[in-house]
Amino acid sequence: MAKNAVFDAPTRRRVLIAGAGVGLTVTACSRDADPPQGAPGPGRHGVRQAGVTTPQQATALLLAYDLDPELRGAAGARALKAVLAAWTHALAEPDSLVAPEADEADEPDGSDESSEPAGPDGSSESDESDELDRSDGSDESNGSGAARFTATVGIGPRLPGRLGVPVPAALRELPPFPGERLDPARCGGDVLVQLCADSADATEAAAATLTRLAGDTLRPRWRQAGFLPPSPDGGGTPRDLLGFKNGSANPTAEECERWVWTGDATYLVVRRVHLSVEDFARLPVHRQEEIIGRRRETGGPLDGGPEHADVDIHARTAQGGGGRYVTPPHSHVRAASPSLDAGARMLRRGYSYADGPTDQGLLFLAFMRDPALFTRVQRRMAARDELSRFSEARGSAVAYVLPGARPGRPLGAELLG
């Protein structure tokens, strides 16, 4: 288990990060991060889980758990079903779940079964999911409470085989990729939870509650906190620690229906990518832009246009017989271009992380209808993306994001019965 396991107390560290030629002072676990400008208000639970197309919050906390090794087959399925039912009940009252001042002394004296850890026989399973509703009529919740808290729950590739339940069609381990240096203690997991809010206090409080409710059924494997760095332009698309906008080419709502959702479920790929921030910052801006394939200031294509304009990777200058490519052949944007995958896109919802002066980078979170898309893109980047000189994947996970809870059907009902 990684040293920053879920029960470790959070720390407040301020790390000086040289971001693409500009000094950025960030708080690794910011307690009062400002929400993005123009973000809509919260919703409740929906047919689909929140935290996918929900407007991005200021902080994130990823939690990975492993099923108790002694639990397998039907007994394991019953135990996990009980945990997910308890989580569903807790998530139906997010304002209480994320209150940092709440502790066990403030809880009821045992009359509420959902406050007890779930046992391996499933005896604490609750039907309290009947309390869930859809206040805005949308398919996905927009987050709840002042902190715009969302929780997104998925399962890893090993879990269906251990429980003897059907394997979601596209759920499989990611293959190894050239250039990565993965730490096994920061990879994998049978259950993956993405917690997002505009306050890290909210995600930490929720993590503590969910872990307590998991009892002995789920054991913490690893955790990773993320944040959105201060934006020099006052909002819009978040920037990474290299100083570039991250998520400029995200799919539209209509495109998400085609490329992200598969029914009411989706798949999440997580990569903990170490960035050589100071080395990249030493490069002149025009060289940084050649490596990324977009303008640093605007996020737009190198040949002009607004941030969200598609990059024409085949465009050439007018010089010489056909000219050179406007977007360099070894740029990051070219390697990741949807045009090389018949238009298929992933929805990126990344955050930055800073776990010390020498360990900073990108918490890459991407949702898609099939992780095979990520595999194709990552193989191209490993082969010809010049940004690989400044990045190294050190953690990795993939998960099937369960359909959302419905009245009478808690999280995981479709999978576990």
Side-chain angles (χ1 to χ4, degrees):
M1 183 168 57
K3 64 181 180 180
N4 56 348
V6 70
F7 46 80
D8 285 352
T11 60
R12 291 178 60 92
R13 296 189 300 264
R14 298 190 64 82
V15 182
L16 181 63
I17 298 174
V22 181
L24 295 179
T25 302
V26 301
T27 305
C29 288
S30 173
R31 289 305 186 213
D32 297 296
D34 293 328
Q37 292 184 353
R44 289 291 297 269
H45 291 257
V47 174
R48 295 166 172 171
Q49 288 196 69
V52 180
T53 58
T54 306
Q56 192 168 6
Q57 302 96 316
T59 69
L61 180 60
L62 270 290
L63 309 172
Y65 300 88
D66 283 337
L67 187 69
D68 183 337
E70 300 298 320
L71 293 174
R72 292 183 175 273
R78 287 194 300 270
L80 180 59
K81 186 176 179 180
V83 171
L84 294 180
W87 283 4
T88 301
H89 176 75
L91 292 169
E93 301 296 337
D95 290 338
S96 298
L97 179 71
V98 303
E101 68 275 12
D103 56 33
E104 294 185 8
D106 298 326
E107 295 172 4
D109 58 2
S111 59
D112 183 354
E113 291 183 0
S114 69
S115 66
E116 297 298 325
D121 61 353
S123 59
S124 67
E125 180 180 350
S126 170
D127 291 328
E128 297 295 339
S129 57
D130 290 332
E131 298 178 2
L132 302 182
D133 63 16
R134 291 169 58 194
S135 61
D136 60 358
S138 64
D139 284 343
E140 184 189 353
S141 167
N142 285 327
S144 297
R148 295 193 305 127
F149 170 80
T150 59
T152 313
V153 181
I155 64 165
R158 293 191 317 169
L159 190 63
R162 290 190 57 187
L163 300 181
V165 299
V167 182
L171 183 61
R172 62 186 67 87
E173 298 284 0
L174 295 175
F177 299 106
E180 62 184 11
R181 186 162 63 93
L182 300 181
D183 177 357
R186 295 186 181 273
C187 295
D190 293 331
V191 174
L192 195 68
V193 182
Q194 173 195 262
L195 304 175
C196 297
D198 287 325
S199 164
D201 282 328
T203 57
E204 291 288 353
T209 299
L210 295 180
T211 299
R212 175 177 55 79
L213 291 174
D216 295 329
T217 299
L218 297 177
R219 301 181 176 183
R221 180 177 177 88
W222 57 263
R223 63 166 11 223
Q224 181 62 57
F227 62 94
L228 298 182
S231 176
D233 47 14
T237 304
R239 292 180 182 267
D240 57 30
L241 296 183
L242 301 180
F244 281 78
K245 296 189 175 187
N246 193 298
S248 296
N250 265 341
T252 64
E254 293 76 17
E255 290 171 333
C256 283
E257 293 300 320
R258 181 179 183 185
W259 301 119
V260 175
W261 296 107
T262 172
D264 293 324
T266 184
Y267 293 86
L268 169 63
V269 171
V270 179
R271 303 281 280 182
R272 184 180 185 274
V273 182
H274 174 80
L275 296 176
S276 300
V277 177
E278 293 184 0
D279 291 342
F280 190 83
R282 293 189 185 100
L283 300 175
V285 172
H286 75 86
R287 184 71 185 102
Q288 295 176 10
E289 293 177 338
E290 289 175 349
I291 293 172
I292 299 296
R294 284 184 176 270
R295 297 297 181 192
R296 194 179 79 175
E297 182 177 354
T298 66
L302 295 182
D303 57 350
E307 173 192 345
H308 297 289
D310 285 334
V311 175
D312 181 1
I313 63 171
H314 304 293
R316 292 175 179 266
T317 65
Q319 301 173 358
R324 60 176 177 80
Y325 285 113
V326 175
T327 303
H330 297 287
S331 67
H332 177 71
V333 164
R334 176 180 287 273
S337 174
S339 66
L340 302 178
D341 292 290
R345 296 173 182 266
M346 60 185 82
L347 176 63
R348 288 166 294 144
R349 209 169 184 271
Y351 289 83
S352 296
Y353 76 85
D355 290 343
T358 61
D359 190 8
Q360 312 148 22
L362 173 68
L363 179 56
F364 176 89
L365 307 174
F367 296 91
M368 62 208 78
R369 67 180 303 122
D370 188 341
L373 171 61
F374 175 82
T375 297
R376 295 195 299 271
V377 173
Q378 184 60 39
R379 283 174 172 162
R380 289 199 301 268
M381 292 195 300
R384 58 178 185 262
D385 182 3
E386 198 171 3
L387 186 60
S388 298
R389 292 171 43 206
F390 304 92
S391 61
E392 181 181 68
R394 296 183 179 179
S396 182
V398 62
Y400 170 73
V401 176
L402 301 165
R406 310 182 191 193
R409 294 180 67 81
L411 288 170
E414 288 82 357
L415 180 75
L416 302 174

